[in-house]
Amino acid sequence: MAIEKVFPMTKEGKEKLEQELEQLKTVKRKEVVERIKIARSFGDLSENSEYDSAKDEQAFVEGRITTLENMIRNAKIIEESDLDSDTVSLGKSVTFIELPDGDEETYTIVGSAEADPFEGKISNDSPIAQSLIGKKVGDQVTVQTPGGEMQVKITSIK
């Protein structure tokens, strides 16, 4: 039997996934079924782009529901009390400056299921997070990125 992947995440991240799942099951699924019904009424399904589009969307929605159910079922909640307060770890926000130019960046390290770089949440599997995990304030770290190496200095961990 295959071992299920564990999805580490914050309590808020799991709640967000549960809300998305609920939305897909109660609203989006019904909308897609209605689109398929309407497209069927147009007649010949072999040349019906509305029907094909609705069926594609239905496949996407059902696939996303399955993915979310799996992530929620295999979620491992990161508890605040389990975290060392002065070490970079999953669930922590870390601020660092790029050396030598001093650009400051802040990211929260989360599980891959809730990563959203536009909200400053990076996956614990990302090169930046992998380089920072286990480090402390004041540490200088070399981060391997697709664009090459980057030197950073950790300025705060929350």
Side-chain angles (χ1 to χ4, degrees), residues 83-99:
L83 304 175
D84 182 0
S85 61
D86 62 347
T87 303
V88 178
S89 61
L90 206 60
K92 294 281 186 160
S93 290
V94 60
T95 302
F96 58 83
I97 55 171
E98 287 184 42
L99 302 174

Side-chain angles (χ1 to χ4, degrees), residues 94-98 101-107 153 155-156:
V94 60
T95 302
F96 58 83
I97 55 171
E98 287 184 42
D101 56 6
D103 289 342
E104 187 175 79
E105 297 181 40
T106 301
Y107 294 106
K153 182 175 181 180
T155 58
S156 78

Side-chain angles (χ1 to χ4, degrees), residues 28-36 54 57-58 61:
K28 196 67 175 168
R29 197 181 247 171
K30 290 176 184 171
E31 289 174 359
V32 172
V33 168
E34 190 59 33
R35 280 188 56 208
I36 290 171
E57 186 177 2
Q58 182 183 41
V61 167

Side-chain angles (χ1 to χ4, degrees), residues 128-140:
I128 293 174
Q130 287 287 309
S131 299
L132 296 174
I133 290 175
K135 304 298 190 277
K136 298 182 181 299
V137 172
D139 287 354
Q140 277 191 227

Side-chain angles (χ1 to χ4, degrees), residues 1-7 69-71 73-74:
M1 186 169 142
I3 296 173
E4 296 264 346
K5 180 179 178 184
V6 174
F7 295 93
E69 287 173 339
N70 184 46
M71 290 172 143
R73 183 176 52 251
N74 295 303

